[in-house]
């Protein structure tokens, strides 16, 4: 209570006082560039991802543009210790995805290298994945994949550096006969998602891959 009084929650765009559970005010919510993707239909993320991996379904909550409000929201989550923003993104996601036509068997989050995890203090995808798991009643696995190469954050890399993450991930256990929903924060070149998907596909049997991201670069 004292913390909320001394450090009240403010809209990330206009700085107006807002409820502690929100990230933007109602007026600024209209500035958030939602993708309006349908999970079970072809969309821009599906088209981009299909060039790299065999993907069943794809969904991006937001379009991620430089200096946009969507970028500010994701950066606050990743770099400014605002992990609870993940719950807001979950609420926005569950308002837009209904798995009535068939839900995945397992949610899998993209791992951080242990050095980056220690530096940041948390993996921004864990709370997001856990809340999705509870809402949809789908198991989540944060340890199916292990990051074995350390690198700078994608946002701080140039185009050529983003393409050099081959063999950066390792499967930690056998996984067969599953429809896996891979979860990441931002889809840029698709290199991270591609490396992870092929690591799973090349070491598993009868596995299908779908992807869900908080935002995609446009």
């Amino acid at each position: 209570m004292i913390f909320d009084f001394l450090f009240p929650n403010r809209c990330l765009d206009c700085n107006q006082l807002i409820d502690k559970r929100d990230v933007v005010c109602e007026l600024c919510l209209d500035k958030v560039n939602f993708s309006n993707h349908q999970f079970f239909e072809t969309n821009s993320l599906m088209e981009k991802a299909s060039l790299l991996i065999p993907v069943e379904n794809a969904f991006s909550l937001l379009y991620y543009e430089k200096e946009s409000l969507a970028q500010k929201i994701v950066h606050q989550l990743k770099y400014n210790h605002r992990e609870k923003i993940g719950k807001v993104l979950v609420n926005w996601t569950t308002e837009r995805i209904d798995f009535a036509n068939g839900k995945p068997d397992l949610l899998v989050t993209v791992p951080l290298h242990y050095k980056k995890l220690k530096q940041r203090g948390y993996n921004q995808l864990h709370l997001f994945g856990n809340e999705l798991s509870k809402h949809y009643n789908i198991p989540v696995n944060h340890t199916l994949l292990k990051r074995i190469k350390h690198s700078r954050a994608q946002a701080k890399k140039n185009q050529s550096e983003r393409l050099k993450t081959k063999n950066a991930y390792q499967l930690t256990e056998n996984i067969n006969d599953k429809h896996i929903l891979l979860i990441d924060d931002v889809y840029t070149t698709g290199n991270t998602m591609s490396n992870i998907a092929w690591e799973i596909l090349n070491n598993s049997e009868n596995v299908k891959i779908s992807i869900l991201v908080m935002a995609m670069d446009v």
Side-chain angles (χ1 to χ4, degrees):
M1 295 294 292
I2 295 177
F3 182 88
D4 293 337
F5 177 77
L6 295 176
F7 303 98
N9 193 30
R10 295 182 178 274
C11 173
L12 289 182
D13 195 54
C14 71
N15 209 39
Q16 175 180 313
L17 287 173
I18 57 175
D19 188 279
K20 64 180 180 180
R21 295 167 294 184
D22 296 329
V23 293
V24 294
C25 67
E26 290 187 8
L27 289 176
C28 292
L29 184 62
D30 290 335
K31 300 179 185 179
V32 179
N33 195 2
F34 291 101
S35 71
N36 296 317
H37 284 174
Q38 299 297 314
F39 183 79
F40 292 103
E41 297 177 7
T42 300
N43 53 57
S44 54
L45 178 59
M46 179 78 170
E47 290 173 347
K48 290 179 71 172
S50 294
L51 297 174
L52 302 174
I53 55 175
V55 60
E56 297 292 315
N57 309 104
F59 176 88
S60 174
L61 176 65
L62 309 171
Y63 283 132
Y64 187 86
E65 298 172 286
K66 189 175 182 181
E67 307 300 329
S68 69
L69 183 52
Q71 183 191 57
K72 188 179 295 185
I73 290 170
V74 174
H75 277 205
Q76 286 289 317
L77 170 66
K78 292 179 68 173
Y79 307 119
N80 282 13
H81 306 287
R82 298 281 301 276
E83 187 182 12
K84 290 184 179 179
I85 288 177
K87 287 191 175 182
V88 176
L89 296 177
V90 166
N91 291 337
W92 290 348
T93 299
T94 55
E95 289 170 358
R96 291 163 173 81
I97 298 181
D98 181 355
F99 285 130
N101 292 332
K103 62 184 180 182
D105 301 306
L106 181 66
L107 309 180
V108 174
T109 53
V110 172
L112 291 176
H113 190 274
Y114 75 92
K115 289 183 179 179
K116 190 173 290 184
L117 182 61
K118 183 177 180 180
Q119 178 185 22
R120 191 173 296 172
Y122 62 92
N123 183 328
Q124 70 278 1
L125 297 174
H126 283 185
L127 176 63
F128 184 75
N130 291 341
E131 292 296 315
L132 286 176
S133 174
K134 285 189 284 187
H135 179 86
Y136 292 117
N137 193 27
I138 302 173
V140 61
N141 189 326
H142 299 305
T143 61
L144 180 66
L145 294 149
K146 179 180 180 181
R147 175 129 197 174
I148 56 178
K149 287 185 179 179
H150 180 57
S151 64
R152 293 189 298 161
Q154 286 285 88
K156 298 179 181 179
K157 296 178 183 177
N158 58 38
Q159 184 74 5
S160 62
E161 288 176 320
R162 289 178 180 178
L163 296 173
K164 296 178 180 178
T165 56
K166 188 175 181 180
N167 301 323
Y169 300 92
Q170 186 177 74
L171 202 62
T172 62
E173 59 184 272
N174 293 329
I175 189 82
N176 300 316
D177 306 309
K178 298 288 186 184
H179 179 187
I180 297 174
L181 181 60
L182 295 179
I183 299 173
D184 202 1
D185 45 34
V186 181
Y187 189 101
T188 49
T189 64
N191 194 52
T192 296
M193 197 66 79
S194 175
N195 273 287
I196 287 174
W198 284 115
E199 174 66 16
I200 294 172
L201 291 169
N202 289 334
N203 295 282
S204 308
E205 295 181 3
N206 193 32
V207 166
K208 295 187 292 185
I209 300 290
S210 291
I211 61 177
L212 185 155
V213 295
M214 297 174 182
M216 65 174 290
D217 209 358
V218 293

